[in-house]
Amino acid sequence: MAAPVAAVQRLFEACREVFNDAGPGAVPPPAGIERVKAVLDSFTAADVGLTPNMSYFRRVDPRGTPKITYLHLYKCEAFSIGIFCLPSRGVIPLHNHPGMTVFSKLLFGTMHVKSYDWAAAQQDIPDVQLQGPRLAKVKSDGILTAPRETSVLYPEDGGNMHCFTAQNACAVLDVLGPPYDDGSGRHCQYYNVSSSTISVGGSMLLPGGDRYEWLEESEPPEGFYLVGSTYMGPRISDQ
């Protein structure tokens, strides 16, 4: 009897077929999205050899900002697979995913997630300014706890810009298609919220409606440390 195929290998094979079939930079069709999502929905931390007591999730200095560790599993022109390891109170600042479809699976832990989509992309508001601060619609703002379904964001929907704040040790497995590439115009841009929240409905201000905030481009926050480390779990074969 053949040995069972490792979860990471099943994920790689699904991503390879789905993103290659979609074509360079294209959003996969719904059936492809569901295929990758179904593989990730069944993922556990054990499938990638992670536990919350590993060194990635320890706060070295309880008074400082904890560093975030990235474990690289695979990358090609069409997609990448990796894991973000956040200690308690670790923060991945607000950033975007230009032209990308992203699958995020929270393997363990509890985190606060806030995400946005540009108001102009949603066609919510006419004549939204495109220079300086831009108006963005709040897509989500709440606490997520594992186990839970995989979340999917798209180039113009689903919360393309997001930030994570770990409430305890958290591990997030991400699939990005296509991956960041400055040369192809997919630069990771960070943002700050530049003013208070307002509520907007169409071209009118309506109390209690959808939430919007002004976002402005920024440099990565001081004290944000993202470091790479060697992934020690089951390997991916791309043969």
Side-chain angles (χ1 to χ4, degrees), residues 10-24 26-37 39 78-79 101 103 175 177:
R10 292 198 307 272
L11 175 62
F12 163 75
E13 292 172 1
C15 290
R16 179 171 59 181
E17 292 186 21
V18 167
F19 284 108
N20 286 343
D21 287 350
V27 175
I33 296 290
E34 286 305 313
R35 181 181 175 190
V36 175
K37 184 176 180 295
V39 176
F79 65 93
T101 303
F103 299 80
V175 173

Side-chain angles (χ1 to χ4, degrees), residues 48 50 56-57 67-73 80-87 91-93 95 97 100 102-108 111 162 164 166 168-176 180 188 190 224-229 231:
V48 286
L50 290 180
Y56 310 128
F57 307 102
K67 68 181 180 181
I68 311 300
T69 302
Y70 180 75
L71 306 178
H72 167 77
L73 276 69
S80 65
I81 304 173
I83 303 170
F84 290 93
C85 303
L86 293 79
V91 176
I92 298 180
H95 63 284
H97 306 83
M100 300 155 69
V102 179
F103 299 80
S104 293
K105 171 66 174 180
L106 182 60
L107 298 174
F108 56 74
M111 62 168 45
H162 62 201
F164 296 158
N168 50 27
C170 294
V172 183
L173 193 162
D174 270 3
V175 173
L176 279 60
Y180 289 110
C188 183
Y190 294 91
F224 171 53
Y225 301 104
L226 178 62
V227 299
S229 189
Y231 167 68

